[in-house]
């Protein structure tokens, strides 16, 4: 991919993309929202034109509480695009959401050292502006951070 092939504003999310714009509009007011299939009675991720379970295109977005668990992650040390160089290292992760079984949301884990991360660790959403040097503008985005474990004895 050459730089001229990249959409304007890349790597910021494209807010005009119909399949995902509701996700970013929710994030702009610090809410996490996902497409929900009323027929299948479950959230669907990632956003598609039709439900992969039943084929309906009636997939209204619903807000969900931002608590979940760390499913998997990797620590990114190499910037494959120059725009990411100033953010290294960062933790790219998949989280599961308590209110949306079956969904694994790609995100970043913030405010945690990689050594603190464990499979199944409780996480919660937090919101912050996403921006890149040399790219105009910013987009408010959901990130996740570790929640204190309730099963941990007080120190
Ligand atoms: Zn469905």
């Amino acid at each position: 991919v050459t730089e001229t092939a990249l959409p304007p504003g890349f790597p910021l999310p494209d807010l005009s993309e119909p399949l995902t714009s509701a996700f970013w509009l929710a994030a702009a007011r610090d809410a996490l929202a996902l497409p929900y299939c009323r027929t299948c009675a479950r959230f669907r991720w990632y956003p598609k034109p039709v439900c992969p379970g039943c084929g309906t295109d009636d997939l209204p977005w619903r807000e969900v509480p931002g608590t979940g668990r760390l499913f998997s992650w990797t620590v990114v040390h190499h910037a494959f695009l120059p725009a990411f160089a100033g953010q290294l290292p960062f933790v790219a992760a998949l989280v599961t959401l308590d209110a949306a079984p079956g969904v694994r949301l790609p995100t970043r884990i913030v405010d945690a050292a990689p050594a603190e991360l464990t499979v199944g660790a409780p996480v919660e959403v937090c919101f912050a502006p996403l921006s890149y040097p040399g790219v105009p503008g910013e987009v408010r985005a959901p990130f996740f951070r570790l929640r204190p474990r309730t099963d941990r004895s007080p120190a």
Side-chain angles (χ1 to χ4, degrees):
V1 176
T2 63
E3 295 226 5
T4 53
L6 297 172
F10 188 85
L12 284 176
D14 180 358
L15 303 187
S16 69
E17 166 53 48
L19 273 178
T20 53
S21 61
F23 182 80
W24 301 110
L25 288 171
R29 47 188 172 75
D30 289 4
L32 189 63
L34 305 172
Y36 183 81
C37 177
R38 285 185 280 232
T39 307
C40 297
R42 58 176 290 180
F43 287 94
R44 293 297 186 183
W45 190 264
Y46 53 93
K48 294 180 180 178
V50 297
C51 174
C54 69
T56 184
D57 62 358
D58 180 25
L59 295 162
W61 288 70
R62 285 191 182 174
E63 291 185 17
V64 291
T67 57
R69 300 273 172 172
L70 182 57
F71 180 81
S72 184
W73 72 94
T74 190
V75 182
V76 178
H77 292 281
H78 178 76
F80 290 95
L81 292 171
F84 288 90
Q87 302 178 8
L88 299 174
F90 63 85
V91 178
L94 288 175
V95 298
T96 59
L97 297 169
D98 297 337
V103 168
R104 293 175 192 160
L105 191 69
T107 186
R108 284 193 203 177
I109 305 298
V110 295
D111 300 331
E116 295 179 86
L117 304 177
T118 56
V119 172
V123 294
E124 64 188 0
V125 73
C126 55
F127 294 87
L130 189 60
S131 66
Y132 298 95
V135 177
E138 62 181 35
V139 173
R140 196 156 181 84
F143 300 90
F144 282 78
R145 61 188 172 209
L146 294 174
R147 268 188 290 150
R149 280 187 184 274
T150 52
D151 56 353
R152 184 181 286 164
S153 347

